[in-house]
Amino acid sequence: MPKVTVDGQEIEVPDGATVLQACELAGKEIPRFCYHERLSIAGNCRMCLVEVKPGPPKPQASCALPATEGQEIRTDTQMVKTAREGVMEFLLINHPLDCPICDQGGECDLQDQSMTYGRGATRYHENKRAVTEKYMGPLIKTIMTRCIHCTRCVRFSEEIAGVDEIGAVGRGEDMQITTYLEQAAEHELSANVIDLCPVGALTSRPYAFEARPWELKKTLSIDVSDAVGANIRLDSRGREVMRALPRVNDDVNEEWISDKARYQVDGLMRRRLDRVFVRRDGKLTPASWDEAFAMIADAKPGSGIAAIAGDLVDCETMFAAKALLKASGSSLMEGRQTGMDYDVSNLAAVNFNSTLAGIENADAILIVGSHIRWEAPLVNVRLRKAAKRGAKIFLVGPRWDTTFGGEFLGTDLGVLNDLPGHVGDAFDAAERPAVIVGGAGLKGAHAKALALASSWGAAFNVLHMAASRMGGLMLGYAQKGGIADIAKAKPKVLLSLGADEMDYAAFDGSLKVYIGHHGDKGAHHADIVLPGASYAEKDGTYVNTEGRVQFAEKAVFAPGDAREDWTILRALADALDLKVGFDSFAELQGAMIADVPALGEEGLADYGALPEPDMAAKAEGAVASYPIRDFYLTNPIARASAVMQQCSAELLGPELAEAAE
Amino acid sequence: MADRSPAPDSPELRERWGGFEFTDAYRAKADKAIARYPEGRQRSAVMPLLDLAQRQVGEETDTQGWLPLPVIEYVADYLDMPVIRVLEVATFYFMYNMQPVGKFHVQVCGTTPCMLRGSDALFETCKARGMKKGHVSDDGLWTLTEVECMGNCATAPMVQINDDNYEDLTSERLDAVLDALAAGESPKPGTQEPGRHTSEPAGGPTTLTEMVDANHDYRDSW
């Protein structure tokens, strides 16, 4: 723990800290462009110059200088001020003065820092450099003349994403950032370089020229495109969500989000259900709320009412439906739309127990039936970190392009019954082993994976894909035999809470009431469509795959006649003459928390100890394919999004076509 | 300065170079370069491999050689590294030609010492022979490039032609060198000043003169 003095203030800094970090600990602001906490140190922008004694009598780049015992650091001298002004002047020599038409304007590091650390005027009268635009795919717009060569994007794609596709070609004044032959950046986190870019060189293509940061309302929300529950900020103007940006949460998403989380928001404005529909003579026709409720009441469901929760719904919606069912004497609730029927008697056995941040410390990892890059891109980032720290990773399932190496053990789950010697040795030698079971492995290998984890003393993890899954399981949205049990019970009324992935053919005899926000598969099969609110249009609680309870806020109002889901269910209770015991959102939340106390506390829910494993369990079957066929089109919002459709066609199109042949 | 952007990725380029592979002789050299580094660090050999690839291309086309994109991809594949990283290296160093060059790549130094010693006249000489900066001459023999300092300031002005330097040039001397090259001869590389061997002071030693004939102990005179 070296002691250093920053501007006369003595502080102790952690071992291995840099001078820049020491200054930050002392509360000094150090301007920087190339330095980023989560990337390697490049030291090429020279903006973070400070004066350090002992050392040569010239300004030092603080980001790349280790803090050592007895250093005297000055950030406020004339030398530092002049040095920063000089660096800024050089950076601005070739930077165009197009802030008024630049999308980064208002949230630009270069703009902000030139206000604080720059000279007032330029002394440069020569021609400026101009650089041709580079194509980087449907998400990233480039105006490369603005580039200041900080190389954050290069380091991100190499270190975090694990796909070396952005590079700096040429040298000196001719250096240009590009992808090889201007191919599109093809990975699930590519758009994070837009946030990383300190200037307006890489900006968001779908959001180009849409809005200025200061005219947007910022709402803290939770991403629902996968089960990671990335913390996001929804920027909205009027009734429209303009964009989604990541928030920093080291426990969940660090500061990245997947391209789907970022760009599916344009789907919130398309294919929306904004009025009530009922099916008359086989055709959905507009109707009023009263007509729809009367039709449901006419069906006289009694206790023959069931609820299927979709992948995107919040806990409050699910609890409101649960209360309705309870009042009518039914417990037919299910959330696993695709027919999964794994045992949920102990939720710890279906939880990501390592925690998302914890998995990066694992030193041996067995992944059973999960295409992690598509099912949870942010977990893939963690696995890459683990692999960089030396973790041995083994995978069971069809090959996919990992960014962390790893050894594929074949598609047959039976390999778990008799693991190759070197795999067993790796886990026996490991200090912090972990097992991850994905959607494709739960059916055939859940019990065996539990037994393996127990025999190795490994952390047991299940990686879900639906944002509503863990919350649904906590609320009891699971039947012993899965959705087949519900079909067997032949309910008179089926409440579909945005369930768009299920097979409606099994419910031919039921009155299908779809409460959701997009005209997708569910609405096509429904007899009655009640327009609900998407995740951006309601407050709600979400539980991610590691059991982390998180709260999302309402950013905008739902379009047209659409209402928040809980109010629809509350009104339906009146129509059916049932008492559900809440009249406001606060009361609903109170009742939900009384029912499942863990949902009332933000943070990790405690599911207790893992169940006693069945050591005799055998894994059987094979992983023929992974549940996600197309990363960009996994939910109704994404399927409605023009950007996601374009990504799918452009980035995955040829591949998918090949796979289908 | 030479055009450092890679030659456009055209079907013709793919057809001509798509099947590029090291010949046995070059493969042996490439593997030897890789073997200099620990296992798993084969990427470190990217620079020698690019050079070997350029030389092989040169042999095949009877030029100094250059690096078409398919060849860069071949090297990336050979070293199991991302092709953008290879392209970064190839575009960084001037010794890798990104565009086709002639049989003789005449790189005239135009930096201050050479300029003061008459490099402008060398450019005139080259132009008089039909060379144009950045272009291959019509007969396919010459490519003229102006380069920055090559570190031969003591024998300025100089040109580098393929692997050899020719120093202490005048228009006439350069003409003689180029004539010899065009005739298929190998002119003497290095200084062209009669009586000068390398970069020792022109006109005889100016210091340590006692040492010319025999060893001399200078310690008394310190």
Side-chain angles (χ1 to χ4, degrees):
Chain A
M1 298 278 277
K3 265 204 188 76
V4 300
T5 318
V6 180
D7 294 348
Q9 175 192 350
E10 193 168 286
I11 57 159
E12 213 170 314
V13 297
D15 285 322
T18 62
V19 169
L20 188 147
Q21 284 161 338
C23 294
E24 290 205 318
L25 283 173
K28 304 288 171 194
E29 184 185 80
I30 306 289
R32 85 286 302 267
F33 295 110
C34 71
Y35 176 79
H36 192 277
E37 292 83 355
R38 295 176 210 279
L39 303 175
S40 63
I41 294 168
N44 53 9
C45 76
R46 315 310 288 183
M47 194 62 207
C48 61
L49 295 174
V50 296
E51 211 179 320
V52 179
K53 273 184 235 169
K58 58 170 189 169
Q60 303 272 327
S62 60
C63 70
L65 188 68
T68 51
E69 182 66 39
Q71 257 170 352
E72 264 180 67
I73 304 161
R74 302 296 308 190
T75 68
D76 53 359
T77 58
Q78 186 57 37
M79 184 216 264
V80 172
K81 184 170 181 296
T82 323
R84 286 173 182 170
E85 278 176 7
V87 170
M88 180 59 81
E89 201 173 1
F90 272 115
L91 285 175
L92 290 176
I93 276 183
N94 276 321
H95 191 83
L97 255 181
D98 60 357
C99 302
I101 56 150
C102 175
D103 258 329
Q104 193 86 348
E107 49 187 2
C108 173
D109 288 0
L110 188 62
Q111 207 177 27
D112 296 348
Q113 290 181 31
S114 69
M115 296 298 284
T116 320
Y117 302 101
R119 294 164 49 91
T122 179
R123 294 181 291 180
Y124 183 75
H125 300 293
E126 312 299 321
N127 290 333
K128 288 189 178 224
R129 182 187 73 135
V131 184
T132 49
E133 288 2 335
K134 307 283 184 289
Y135 184 71
M136 284 198 191
L139 301 178
I140 307 168
K141 181 181 169 178
T142 64
I143 300 97
M144 297 316 285
T145 305
R146 297 179 187 146
C147 178
I148 58 166
H149 303 159
C150 69
T151 67
R152 277 188 189 178
C153 50
V154 178
R155 283 174 283 148
F156 174 84
S157 69
E158 180 179 348
E159 293 161 17
I160 308 289
V163 183
D164 290 76
E165 49 186 11
I166 304 180
V169 300
R171 64 194 283 187
E173 193 186 24
D174 299 305
M175 178 168 147
Q176 305 193 0
I177 301 287
T178 182
T179 51
Y180 183 64
L181 293 179
E182 300 195 25
Q183 289 157 345
E186 261 183 58
H187 58 85
E188 300 70 33
L189 297 167
S190 64
N192 285 298
V193 297
I194 297 167
D195 293 342
L196 284 173
C197 185
V199 297
L202 307 179
T203 55
S204 169
R205 194 183 284 276
Y207 173 73
F209 309 129
E210 289 284 341
R212 284 298 190 188
W214 55 82
E215 54 183 5
L216 298 174
K217 187 182 83 175
K218 282 110 181 150
T219 315
L220 308 186
S221 186
I222 300 295
D223 169 49
V224 294
S225 66
D226 56 32
V228 173
N231 292 201
I232 55 171
R233 189 186 92 192
L234 292 176
D235 285 6
S236 54
R237 187 178 59 188
R239 301 190 76 157
E240 187 176 357
V241 177
M242 304 302 291
R243 61 176 178 177
L245 293 178
R247 280 188 280 147
V248 176
N249 187 339
D250 281 333
D251 292 329
V252 183
N253 57 322
E254 299 173 277
E255 60 180 275
W256 324 120
I257 54 172
S258 72
D259 290 354
K260 184 164 52 179
R262 189 185 298 262
Y263 285 118
Q264 68 175 8
V265 291
D266 75 313
L268 293 172
M269 296 300 284
R270 304 158 69 96
R271 289 197 206 159
R272 283 306 296 267
L273 301 172
D274 57 357
R275 61 202 304 183
V276 179
F277 289 93
V278 298
R279 194 175 290 279
R280 294 195 181 101
D281 307 326
K283 255 182 101 174
L284 284 174
T285 48
S288 72
W289 286 97
D290 289 339
E291 286 174 82
F293 286 143
M295 268 181 77
I296 301 170
D298 285 347
K300 295 202 174 40
S303 65
I305 183 167
I308 309 288
D311 287 350
L312 310 180
V313 294
D314 54 319
C315 292
E316 281 80 358
T317 302
M318 287 189 280
F319 180 76
K322 180 183 178 180
L324 181 72
L325 263 61
K326 199 171 164 194
S328 63
S330 162
S331 62
L332 294 171
M333 302 180 292
E334 178 57 65
R336 298 165 297 180
Q337 299 178 56
T338 51
M340 303 283 274
D341 58 355
Y342 45 83
D343 179 23
V344 294
S345 53
N346 183 330
L347 285 186
V350 292
N351 185 39
F352 202 93
N353 296 302
S354 287
T355 72
L356 297 174
I359 193 72
E360 62 187 55
N361 294 320
D363 51 2
I365 304 172
L366 176 66
I367 299 169
V368 182
S370 182
H371 184 328
I372 296 201
R373 252 180 93 172
W374 280 9
E375 293 173 15
L378 295 166
V379 175
N380 196 60
V381 170
R382 306 277 190 176
L383 290 175
R384 183 168 159 76
K385 272 197 208 171
K388 274 182 154 180
R389 290 175 188 174
K392 294 194 176 73
I393 302 182
F394 304 95
L395 302 97
V396 180
R399 255 167 211 291
W400 48 279
D401 196 7
T402 71
T403 60
F404 46 76
E407 184 187 340
F408 280 89
L409 304 173
T411 59
D412 185 10
L413 289 172
V415 72
L416 297 177
N417 301 328
D418 184 20
L419 281 169
H422 67 284
V423 181
D425 292 346
F427 279 90
D428 288 336
E431 282 173 31
R432 298 171 301 277
V435 176
I436 300 176
V437 182
L442 273 173
K443 196 165 181 65
H446 191 199
K448 179 63 189 174
L450 265 170
L452 279 176
S454 152
S455 65
W456 291 328
F460 181 77
N461 304 301
V462 171
L463 188 66
H464 294 294
M465 283 162 279
S468 67
R469 182 68 68 248
M470 283 313 285
L473 296 180
M474 287 165 81
L475 286 164
Y477 272 74
Q479 303 292 317
K480 192 159 187 333
I483 204 164
D485 275 9
I486 309 261
K488 227 179 284 168
K490 295 204 183 307
K492 279 191 190 145
V493 171
L494 179 76
L495 293 179
S496 164
L497 307 173
D500 287 303
E501 326 293 331
M502 63 182 275
D503 177 18
Y504 281 93
F507 295 94
D508 269 344
S510 313
L511 180 73
K512 296 181 277 289
V513 181
Y514 181 78
I515 305 175
H517 41 82
H518 273 80
D520 208 83
K521 192 175 163 190
H524 293 168
H525 289 87
D527 298 309
I528 297 173
V529 173
L530 303 177
S534 71
Y535 72 107
E537 292 140 14
K538 60 189 172 193
D539 289 336
T541 307
Y542 296 91
V543 186
N544 77 358
T545 189
E546 56 171 349
R548 185 177 298 279
V549 179
Q550 303 187 106
F551 195 72
E553 286 170 13
K554 170 175 173 166
V556 292
F557 285 94
D561 275 349
R563 295 286 179 269
E564 289 180 34
D565 303 10
W566 77 270
T567 60
I568 299 173
L569 291 158
R570 177 67 188 78
L572 180 58
D574 276 350
L576 295 175
D577 211 11
L578 297 168
K579 292 272 171 294
V580 287
F582 53 82
D583 292 314
S584 69
F585 188 72
E587 282 176 28
L588 161 64
Q589 253 187 344
M592 179 181 80
I593 291 164
D595 188 36
V596 183
L599 289 176
E601 220 169 300
E602 285 194 278
L604 287 175
D606 184 10
Y607 299 122
L610 279 168
E612 201 57 41
D614 172 12
M615 297 312 270
K618 290 273 176 236
E620 49 195 37
V623 185
S625 65
Y626 296 108
I628 296 183
R629 299 275 300 157
D630 183 337
F631 169 73
Y632 295 102
L633 302 176
T634 53
N635 67 54
I637 303 176
R639 284 191 286 266
S641 153
V643 179
M644 289 291 101
Q645 284 171 7
Q646 192 190 348
C647 283
S648 168
E650 192 166 324
L651 304 179
L652 303 176
E655 252 173 67
L656 276 191
E658 271 168 40
E661 274 166 21
Chain B
M1 196 196 69
D3 185 0
R4 300 300 300 161
S5 56
D9 187 29
S10 61
E12 295 76 35
L13 188 82
R14 291 275 159 196
E15 191 184 350
R16 173 66 185 83
W17 295 109
F20 178 87
E21 262 185 32
F22 279 136
T23 59
D24 288 343
Y26 277 107
R27 183 181 295 275
K29 284 184 192 169
D31 291 339
K32 198 174 162 195
I34 292 171
R36 286 181 207 141
Y37 302 99
E39 206 161 308
R41 304 275 177 181
Q42 77 285 359
R43 286 177 177 208
S44 304
V46 62
M47 289 178 59
L49 256 72
L50 281 172
D51 179 55
L52 290 170
Q54 175 165 306
R55 279 170 198 277
Q56 188 181 325
V57 169
E59 276 179 21
E60 287 179 24
T61 55
D62 195 24
T63 63
Q64 197 208 7
W66 64 295
L67 291 170
L69 286 173
V71 173
I72 291 178
E73 285 164 19
Y74 173 78
V75 170
D77 191 46
Y78 202 88
L79 295 171
D80 190 23
M81 65 191 281
V83 62
I84 184 77
R85 297 281 163 265
V86 184
L87 186 70
E88 281 178 335
V89 173
T91 53
F92 189 89
Y93 294 100
F94 276 48
M95 298 78 185
Y96 300 121
N97 299 319
M98 301 309 290
Q99 303 276 345
V101 292
K103 186 173 168 75
F104 300 106
H105 189 188
V106 183
Q107 306 186 65
V108 182
C109 172
T111 308
T112 318
C114 282
M115 192 198 76
L116 293 174
R117 296 271 296 159
S119 66
D120 287 355
L122 302 186
F123 283 112
E124 288 309 317
T125 309
C126 291
K127 276 182 192 154
R129 298 178 70 100
M131 298 183 210
K132 206 171 131 195
K133 275 184 199 172
H135 289 269
V136 185
S137 62
D138 294 335
D139 54 9
L141 274 184
W142 316 105
T143 297
L144 174 64
T145 308
E146 177 173 352
V147 294
E148 300 304 329
C149 185
M150 299 267 219
N152 288 285
C153 310
T155 49
M158 65 82 67
V159 303
Q160 186 179 70
I161 301 178
N162 294 3
D163 290 341
D164 290 317
N165 287 356
Y166 300 93
E167 301 148 25
D168 279 327
L169 292 173
T170 59
S171 284
E172 297 74 36
R173 288 173 186 170
L174 178 59
D175 255 334
V177 169
L178 296 180
D179 283 340
L181 286 170
E185 298 160 19
S186 313
K188 179 181 85 84
T191 175
Q192 305 296 312
E193 178 86 19
R196 205 174 181 188
H197 303 286
T198 58
S199 57
E200 79 275 16
T206 56
T207 54
L208 306 180
T209 41
E210 308 285 329
M211 297 273 265
V212 172
D213 299 315
N215 198 8
H216 177 83
D217 192 348
Y218 273 101
R219 278 175 292 184
D220 291 343
S221 53
W222 287 353

